[in-house]
Amino acid sequence: MEIRVDQRNDSKVAVVVSEEMVIQNVQDALDLMVSVQYNEGCDKIILKKEQIVDDFFELKTKLAGEILQKYTNYQVKLAIVGEFGSYNSKSLHDFII
C-alpha cells in the first residue's frame, strides 16, 4: 500500500494507492487512520470502493457504522470513490446520498 498526499493550499488529502484490500475490519480502518494522521499529517482519506471489504456495503453487518463512527470521533473525513450501481439496497443508496 502506498499513500500519496495531495495538497492544495492548506488542505492535505491522503490518497490510498493499492491493488489489494486495505480495510477488512474495524482494526484495519483504525490502523489506516492513525498511520495517515501520524505519518502524513492528514485528516482526510480517499479510498477506492475495491479497497474495502464488501461487508462494509452491507449495512446490516454494522461494519460501516462502526468504522465511520471511529472516523467521526477522531475528526477524520473518509471519501470512498467508485461505482456503486451494482448494489440494489435502498438503505445503502440512501446512506450514500
Side-chain angles (χ1 to χ4, degrees), residues 12 16 20 24 26-27 34 51 56 58 71 75 83:
K12 290 173 66 174
V16 178
E20 298 178 13
Q24 296 186 39
V26 175
Q27 189 59 52
V34 170
Q51 296 168 329
F56 182 91
E58 292 289 333
Y71 276 58
Q75 299 177 357
E83 175 56 49

Side-chain angles (χ1 to χ4, degrees), residues 77-95:
K77 295 179 181 176
L78 176 65
I80 302 168
V81 297
E83 175 56 49
F84 298 94
S86 63
Y87 297 104
N88 296 322
S89 167
K90 181 179 178 344
S91 298
L92 179 62
H93 177 70
D94 292 346
F95 178 71

Side-chain angles (χ1 to χ4, degrees), residues 32-43 74-76:
L32 175 64
M33 177 182 63
V34 170
S35 176
V36 165
Q37 284 184 310
Y38 182 77
N39 294 325
E40 310 299 337
C42 295
D43 61 357
Y74 290 98
Q75 299 177 357
V76 174

Side-chain angles (χ1 to χ4, degrees), residues 21-33 67 71:
M21 194 160 306
V22 176
I23 296 179
Q24 296 186 39
N25 53 50
V26 175
Q27 189 59 52
D28 290 345
L30 286 172
D31 291 346
L32 175 64
M33 177 182 63
I67 290 173
Y71 276 58

